[in-house]
Amino acid sequence: MKFILLLGIGASIFLVVACSNNDATRLDDTPASITSIQQIKEPTFDAPSGWSKTNDNNSIIFTPPEGNATLALVNLSSAPNAITAAQLAFTKIEPNFSRKVKLVTEEAPQNGWDTISEIEFQTSPAEERLIYAYPHEYKGQWSVILLNGHLGTIAKRGAAARGMLGSLTRFGFTSEDLSGRTAATMGPDKLKALLDFVKTSARGLFVPGVGVGIIQNGKLVYSGGVGVKNIDSGAPIDGDTRFMIASNTKGMTTLLLAKLVEMGRLNWSDSVVEHYPKFRLGDDQTTESVQIKHLVCACTGLPRKDFEWVFNNTPDTPVTTIFDDLAATEPTSDFGELYQYNNQMAAAAGYVAGHLFYPEMEIGAAYDRAMQEYIFDPLGMNNTTLDFTLAIKGNVASPYGVDYDGTVVSIPQTASFGFNHTVIADRPAGAAWSTTTDMLKYIQNELAAGIGPNGNRLFAEEPLLERRKPTVKTGANSSYGMGLSNRDISGIKIVQHGGSMAGYLSQIVIIPEANVGAVILTNSDQGGRLLAPFGRKLVELLYDGKSEAVATIEASVESTNAYLAKERAELTIPADPKVVADLALQYHSLELGTIDIRRENGSTILDTGIWSAPLATKSNDDGTMSLIVTEGAARGYVDLIIGITDGNRTLSLLDSQHSYIFTEVN
C-alpha cells in the first residue's frame, strides 16, 4: 500500500498496471524452486533503463546508479502460497533475509496471471527503506518482483519500478488490443453502466460524492454525479457542484503558456531567465539551462518538496516564496533523464506567464487575471475560479477523508483555515476550483484542438498539441508531457491528468481518436482509487473491452480495508498520554516553521497554524516512537519520529529525498 501511494503524483499518475511487451526482457537462466528443477516459461517485462543488470542465483537483478536499491525478478517452479514465494525469492538474493511480513493484499489479476499479490515487509521509519514483493502466479508457477532499497532512490526512480511492475506479462499471453475498433456511442445504457460503476465503487471506497461528466463528438452526454456534496445536508452532486481540481490546474496553466507561444511572446525552448530574470534554480549554470518547457515537463530532475509548502504556507504567503524555494534547490537527476514531479516548478511557470501578460502587476495577481481573461472566459468556464473564498460558497462539495477506524470524517475547511489553503501560493500548480460542466468545456477545447463551439479558433493548434508530446516515461505505457500525461489502454491512446488535495481527487480522460472526453471529481481522499479504474471502465464501454475495472475496484476496496486494519492495530489512538507527557509544546524547523503539540478533548493535536490534525503514537521495530497523523490529507504521511539531539527534544520528518528536524522551542 505504501509503495503504490508513494509513487503516485498527487493523483496525476497512479500505478498503472498495463500490459506491454515493448523492450521485453527475459531471464537468461532457468531458475529452480527449493525442492525441484523444471523448465519455467519466463515472463516478459520492461527493463529499467540506465540500471545495471546482473544474474545471480537464477535471478535477474537491476541496480540503479545510486547503488542503494534493487529491483529484481525471481522465477520459482513452485511455492505453496504468495508469502512463501516472496520469502523464497528474497532468500535467493539475500540468503539471510528475515524480514517480517507487515501486510499482504491481493491485486486484480491481469497480464495473463491467475493471481497477483503485494507484500510489504516490516521496516522502521528511520531506516528510510522500502521492502516489497509482488508475487505473480500462473498454474502454480511464480514470477516474483522484489523491490528493496532506500526510500529516496525508489521515489526518484519510481517510473522504472512502475514500468517493470506494470508490464510483467505471463509467457504466451496475448494482450488485449482494442486499436482499430470504432468507438461506440455513449447511449443511455452505456451511460447507466458507467454511473452504476461509479456509484458502487464510491460506496465501497467511502467516497460521499462524485461529479461525472461525459462529452462525445462535441455534444454533452452527461454532466452530473452520484452521491452527496455534504453528508450532513444530504444535498446531491450536480453538474454545477464545485470541487477543487488540484493538479488539473497544471494543464490550464500550460494552455496559458501555449497562448503566449501562439502570440509570439515566447517559445517553449526559451531560457526562463530571458523572460523572468529573477528566476533561479540552484547554481548559475543550472539556472541558465532551464527552458520554459522544463518548468512543466516533470523532467528537470527536481524532487517533490511538498512538505515545505504544506507546513509553511498560509492564505497570505507571498508567491515569491516559490522562487525562493527553487533558488535553494538543486536537481537530483539530469534534464530529461527521469520523471520527477515538482509542484513549485509548475507554479513558477504560471507566474512567469502572468508576468509576460501583465508585467506591471504583482505576479500572483497577473497570473489570476491572465487565467481569467485568456482561459476561463474564452472557454465559458463561468463557475471556475482561483479565488478560494469565492470557491467555497454556494454549490460546493465538502471535503472528506477516512480515519484508521474506517469512519468517514470531515476535513475542516473555512475561508481562513484548512489544509487546502497551503496551495494558494502555488496556485498555478493546483489551486483552481471547477465543476463537471466547466471541465467538459476545457476538455472539449482539447478534443477540438483549440476550435470553439461556434467554429472560431480560440487557441492555435500546434502549441496546444505540443503540451501532449511525451517528454519522459512515467511507467508502463505512460508518459508525461507538459501539464498533461499520456497513457495507452489496450492500444487506445489516452490524454489525461489528475489532481489531489485534501478531500478532492480528480481526473480528466481525453480519447482523441474517439472524440470522447470525460471528467471525474470526488470529494474524498479515498477518491484516488477510483480515478484509473474510471478511465478503464470508459474504454471498456466504448470499445467492448474485457471487464477489468470492476475487479480492480473490488481488490482496491479489500486492500484499503486491510491496510486500515493493519495500521490501526499498530497505533495507539488517542496518543499514549505517557509519551505525550514527555513532548515539548512547541517545535521549530528551519525549513518547515513552527508547530504546536497540544491536548484537546482527550486527543493530542498537531497544529501548524493553518491546519491541524489528531495524532496517534506508534512503537517502531527499532525502538523509536512516532507520532502519526490519523485524519485528513496528512493521514499516515506525517510520521514524526520522537528523539533527542544535543539534549533538546526533536521530531524528525522524512520525505523521500528530504529529511527535516523539528527542535523544541524553549
Side-chain angles (χ1 to χ4, degrees):
M1 296 293 292
K2 185 193 300 178
F3 177 48
I4 291 178
L5 296 172
L6 168 72
L7 296 183
I9 315 169
S12 298
I13 298 288
F14 288 86
L15 178 58
V16 179
V17 183
C19 181
S20 171
N21 290 317
N22 297 329
D23 302 322
T25 298
R26 290 191 179 187
L27 293 180
D28 297 328
D29 303 316
T30 302
S33 72
I34 295 299
T35 58
S36 64
I37 298 176
Q38 67 183 70
Q39 183 66 35
I40 295 177
K41 295 180 178 179
E42 301 154 357
T44 58
F45 60 92
D46 292 348
S49 177
W51 296 41
S52 64
K53 173 186 173 183
T54 59
N55 288 80
D56 182 55
N57 195 21
N58 296 321
S59 305
I60 185 169
I61 305 169
F62 296 97
T63 304
E66 292 82 0
N68 58 0
T70 56
L71 187 61
L73 175 64
V74 178
N75 285 341
L76 302 170
S77 61
S78 65
N81 53 54
I83 293 177
T84 303
Q87 292 170 329
L88 289 175
F90 262 123
T91 56
K92 281 180 172 290
I93 296 174
E94 299 180 32
N96 297 322
F97 183 83
S98 60
R99 293 278 178 162
K100 297 179 181 178
V101 171
K102 177 179 179 179
L103 181 66
V104 181
T105 55
E106 300 302 314
E107 305 295 324
Q110 52 203 315
N111 293 354
W113 302 102
D114 289 337
T115 65
I116 301 175
S117 304
E118 177 187 79
I119 301 177
E120 178 183 357
F121 288 86
Q122 194 76 44
T123 61
S124 296
E127 291 184 85
E128 299 185 58
R129 189 179 185 188
L130 295 180
I131 305 176
Y132 279 78
Y134 295 86
H136 293 61
E137 179 268 334
Y138 176 69
K139 292 187 176 179
Q141 295 187 345
W142 300 81
S143 292
V144 187
I145 288 182
L146 306 174
L147 179 70
N148 186 352
H150 188 268
L151 172 64
T153 298
I154 293 173
K156 175 181 176 180
R157 299 187 177 274
R162 284 193 299 273
M164 186 167 170
L165 277 169
S167 64
L168 188 69
T169 303
R170 188 253 299 168
F171 178 85
F173 177 71
T174 301
S175 303
E176 178 185 54
D177 185 3
L178 302 177
S179 61
R181 297 189 187 182
T182 301
T185 299
M186 283 295 293
D189 291 344
K190 292 186 182 296
L191 176 60
K192 182 180 184 300
L194 182 64
L195 294 177
D196 286 346
F197 167 78
V198 172
K199 185 176 181 179
T200 301
S201 301
R203 186 184 302 116
L205 293 169
F206 311 110
V207 179
V210 184
V212 179
I214 307 288
I215 196 165
Q216 185 173 31
N217 296 324
K219 296 181 179 180
L220 177 66
V221 176
Y222 178 79
S223 180
V226 302
V228 298
K229 59 187 178 184
N230 184 282
I231 291 176
D232 293 333
S233 71
I237 300 288
D238 61 43
D240 295 321
T241 300
R242 192 180 290 121
F243 297 75
M244 187 175 237
I245 62 170
S247 286
N248 268 308
T249 311
K250 289 181 173 70
M252 299 176 186
T253 294
T254 62
L255 186 58
L256 185 65
L257 288 168
K259 174 58 72 171
L260 286 167
V261 174
E262 172 189 338
M263 297 167 68
R265 302 283 297 278
L266 62 73
N267 293 307
W268 296 112
S269 58
D270 286 351
S271 170
V272 175
V273 293
E274 175 185 342
H275 297 288
Y276 193 72
K278 295 180 181 179
F279 175 83
R280 285 193 60 80
L281 181 66
D283 60 29
D284 291 342
Q285 182 178 356
T286 302
T287 297
E288 294 294 332
S289 301
V290 181
Q291 300 174 9
I292 293 293
K293 64 184 178 183
H294 292 143
L295 297 174
V296 289
C297 69
C299 67
T300 316
L302 252 66
R304 300 187 77 131
K305 293 184 70 177
D306 291 349
F307 276 144
E308 300 204 8
W309 53 267
V310 164
F311 276 84
N312 283 317
N313 286 6
T314 73
D316 301 319
T317 297
V319 300
T320 52
T321 60
I322 304 304
F323 295 94
D324 294 338
D325 286 345
L326 292 173
T329 305
E330 286 280 0
T332 61
S333 57
D334 294 335
F335 289 10
E337 178 189 2
L338 299 174
Y339 171 78
Q340 293 205 69
Y341 195 82
N342 180 278
N343 283 299
Q344 286 90 336
M345 286 286 274
Y351 292 135
V352 170
H355 174 72
L356 288 176
F357 277 110
Y358 305 110
E360 74 286 354
M361 296 180 67
E362 183 270 328
I363 56 175
Y367 170 77
D368 296 346
R369 178 179 174 184
M371 286 291 287
Q372 190 66 49
E373 295 183 358
Y374 287 92
I375 305 298
F376 301 154
D377 288 346
L379 293 177
M381 300 175 70
N382 300 322
N383 287 320
T384 302
T385 183
L386 291 157
D387 186 328
F388 197 106
T389 302
L390 174 63
I392 63 173
K393 294 179 180 178
N395 187 1
V396 61
S398 300
Y400 295 93
V402 174
D403 66 17
Y404 281 110
D405 292 314
T407 302
V408 176
V409 293
S410 175
I411 296 177
Q413 181 169 270
T414 68
S416 59
F417 183 85
F419 188 96
N420 289 327
H421 285 282
T422 62
V423 78
I424 292 175
D426 297 68
R427 54 190 176 275
W433 297 73
S434 192
T435 68
T436 57
T437 298
D438 274 10
M439 289 300 292
L440 289 177
K441 296 175 182 178
Y442 166 67
I443 290 169
Q444 175 56 32
N445 180 65
E446 293 291 333
L447 287 169
I451 297 178
N454 60 3
N456 295 330
R457 179 161 290 283
L458 299 175
F459 298 90
E461 182 174 9
E462 184 175 352
L464 182 149
L465 296 179
E466 187 74 17
R467 296 152 54 241
R468 305 179 190 175
K469 290 184 178 179
T471 58
V472 65
K473 291 187 67 174
T474 59
N477 291 331
S478 62
S479 62
Y480 203 79
M482 293 189 289
L484 294 171
S485 56
N486 303 283
R487 181 183 174 195
D488 185 305
I489 301 179
S490 299
I492 304 301
K493 306 299 183 183
I494 310 293
V495 179
Q496 64 179 30
H497 207 280
S500 173
M501 280 299 292
Y504 296 110
L505 280 294
S506 65
Q507 183 95 333
I508 60 169
V509 180
I510 300 168
I511 311 177
E513 67 180 61
N515 204 9
V516 169
V519 61
I520 180 170
L521 307 172
T522 74
N523 67 342
S524 171
D525 287 333
Q526 297 297 107
R529 297 184 173 277
L530 178 52
L531 305 185
F534 173 80
R536 171 66 204 186
K537 184 65 177 180
L538 181 63
V539 168
E540 291 173 8
L541 291 169
L542 287 170
Y543 294 96
D544 193 26
K546 292 190 300 184
S547 179
E548 294 183 357
V550 170
T552 300
I553 288 291
E554 290 173 349
S556 188
V557 169
E558 291 184 10
S559 64
T560 296
N561 292 337
Y563 170 75
L564 291 173
K566 178 62 177 177
E567 290 293 315
R568 180 64 181 88
E570 296 181 351
L571 298 176
T572 299
I573 305 175
D576 186 338
K578 294 180 181 179
V579 176
V580 174
D582 290 333
L583 298 175
L585 298 178
Q586 192 172 74
Y587 293 82
H588 180 78
S589 161
L590 180 64
E591 301 90 352
L592 305 186
T594 300
I595 59 174
D596 293 331
I597 305 294
R598 56 183 171 83
R599 297 286 290 175
E600 181 180 288
N601 298 325
S603 295
T604 301
I605 305 296
L606 167 68
D607 193 335
T608 70
I610 190 61
W611 60 273
S612 62
L615 293 168
T617 45
K618 178 181 179 180
S619 179
N620 301 313
D621 280 0
D622 61 0
T624 60
M625 185 72 68
S626 288
L627 299 173
I628 310 291
V629 168
T630 61
E631 294 180 12
R635 189 204 73 199
Y637 299 107
V638 173
D639 183 331
L640 297 161
I641 307 170
I642 300 170
I644 296 179
T645 303
D646 297 329
N648 294 311
R649 288 172 287 186
T650 61
L651 299 174
S652 300
L653 179 62
L654 307 176
D655 172 31
S656 61
Q657 299 182 60
H658 305 93
S659 61
Y660 305 98
I661 304 295
F662 290 92
T663 303
E664 67 174 309
V665 176
N666 296 315

